[in-house]
Amino acid sequence: MQPTAYENILVEFPAARVGLVRLNRPRAYNALNGPLMQELMDALTALDSDDEIGCLVLTGSDKAFAAGADIAEMAEATPVELAQMNFIHRWERLREIKKPVIAAVSGYALGGGCELALACDMIIASETAVFGQPEINLGVIPGAGGTQRLTRALGKALAMEMVLNDRRLSAGEAVQFGLVNRVAPVESYLQEAIDLAAAIAARAPVAVRAAKDAINMAFETSLAAGLAYERNHFYALFSTEDQKEGMAAFLGKRSPAWTGR
Ligand code: DAK
């Protein structure tokens, strides 16, 4: 895929089959205004439909992943104006991305920034990462999944404290409570995320997408329905060339060569 010119993000290809999107509004701590969100979702969608990409990484700067939605943009908005700005639909588009998305988070991940990281599939954090939902200080509550995803990830007690009283989590707490996969020094957290993405991107692509979809279904449904969903994906994968190749390679004691078909 050719790099596209964006104003608020950067798209890079740091490893084989890995697409990296950097939020790039440094003067506003990567506050997520409408144009940035539009570009972000366009870029993620383009990478998602590119067969040469197997896994995505989303990052900000070392100082700030993102300090939330753009308060200046929202401050005077009416509910109708928020709807007209396509505000909600832009955020919903992240749920449609089928390839794994790894957030590489350093510095502030506040409000919508925290929610954006939570909406990704995995999080690699730097030692300086701070996760918080400070919307209560603005007279509102999280609106992009914070009350739901934090509660599922951390349990009710801590989610309540974070959302009702702006309790922030350090990187160490975030890994202790299972919010992030691991913590790395500022110098290497992004490379760790890229390495993880490259490892996943080298695996059987159809199975990787099916695995993401099945795990996400665990948050949407009962156990019985989720187990049935998983089983259907399992059976369906036997229609892929990669299943035949993977099992033949194992039995032939060689490495598989995935085609993504
Ligand atoms: N919006 C706009 N500008 C921001 C910003 C933000 N969220 N965060 C920082 N900035 C700007 C500051 O205004 C300042 O700009 P200048 O004055 O230099 O022009 C610049 O970034 C540097 O900020 P500070 O001077 O404040 O720097 P400090 O180091 O002192 O503090 C900080 C850094 C990140 C702790 C602080 O800036 C801060 O507390 N920022 C606000 C954090 C916050 O409250 N975030 C939550 C916002 S509400 C939804 C989708 C999303 C959302 C809701 C609904 N739907 C789909 C329905 C999300 C809502 C939110 O995120």
Side-chain angles (χ1 to χ4, degrees):
M1 192 171 115
Q2 292 301 312
T4 312
Y6 293 107
E7 287 180 15
N8 302 285
I9 61 168
L10 299 167
V11 178
E12 298 163 30
F13 300 93
R17 297 183 49 74
V18 175
L20 168 68
V21 180
R22 283 182 201 263
L23 308 177
N24 188 34
R25 280 189 79 203
R27 274 168 297 154
Y29 282 95
N30 289 331
L32 306 165
N33 65 3
L36 182 149
M37 286 303 295
Q38 184 69 42
E39 289 185 2
L40 173 60
M41 294 309 155
D42 288 350
L44 293 177
T45 304
L47 291 168
D48 199 36
S49 56
D50 183 342
D51 285 344
E52 289 174 21
I53 298 295
C55 192
L56 316 184
V57 177
L58 174 58
T59 197
S61 68
D62 291 350
K63 254 175 122 176
F65 178 71
D70 192 309
I71 299 169
E73 186 181 64
M74 282 188 302
E76 299 300 327
T78 65
V80 172
E81 283 163 352
L82 288 177
Q84 282 169 344
M85 279 158 63
N86 216 3
F87 199 66
I88 291 163
H89 178 245
R90 284 199 195 104
W91 285 79
E92 282 295 303
R93 282 177 65 191
L94 195 54
R95 281 158 54 85
E96 294 160 19
I97 303 295
K98 294 190 167 49
K99 291 172 186 165
V101 185
I102 300 171
V105 176
S106 187
Y108 295 112
L110 299 178
C114 184
E115 292 169 302
L116 185 59
L118 290 173
C120 295
D121 301 306
M122 286 164 270
I123 303 176
I124 305 293
S126 92
E127 288 165 346
T128 66
V130 178
F131 297 87
Q133 300 288 162
E135 288 90 341
I136 200 77
N137 302 331
L138 304 169
V140 292
I141 66 169
T147 64
Q148 303 305 299
R149 291 200 176 97
L150 279 178
T151 308
R152 283 167 167 77
L154 301 172
K156 180 175 162 182
L158 194 49
M160 283 281 183
E161 205 180 337
M162 288 180 72
V163 173
L164 275 61
N165 202 34
D166 191 15
R167 159 85 148 88
R168 301 190 185 185
L169 298 186
S170 66
E173 288 176 317
V175 78
Q176 183 190 340
F177 299 142
L179 197 67
V180 312
N181 292 66
R182 52 185 166 271
V183 179
V186 182
E187 298 74 33
S188 59
Y189 75 99
L190 180 56
Q191 190 56 49
E192 281 225 16
I194 292 167
D195 291 347
L196 176 60
I200 293 170
R203 297 186 181 279
V206 186
V208 165
R209 288 197 299 274
K212 165 172 169 162
D213 187 48
I215 289 172
N216 280 334
M217 186 52 76
F219 295 100
E220 305 287 345
T221 191
S222 69
L223 180 59
L227 290 171
Y229 194 78
E230 174 191 87
R231 208 155 40 235
N232 286 339
H233 267 312
F234 180 81
Y235 294 149
L237 286 168
F238 281 72
S239 67
T240 65
E241 291 176 16
D242 282 345
Q243 175 269 326
K244 301 288 176 263
E245 167 65 8
M247 295 193 181
F250 176 83
L251 295 172
K253 301 189 186 306
R254 60 174 176 82
S255 299
W258 309 121
T259 59
R261 288 194 293 271

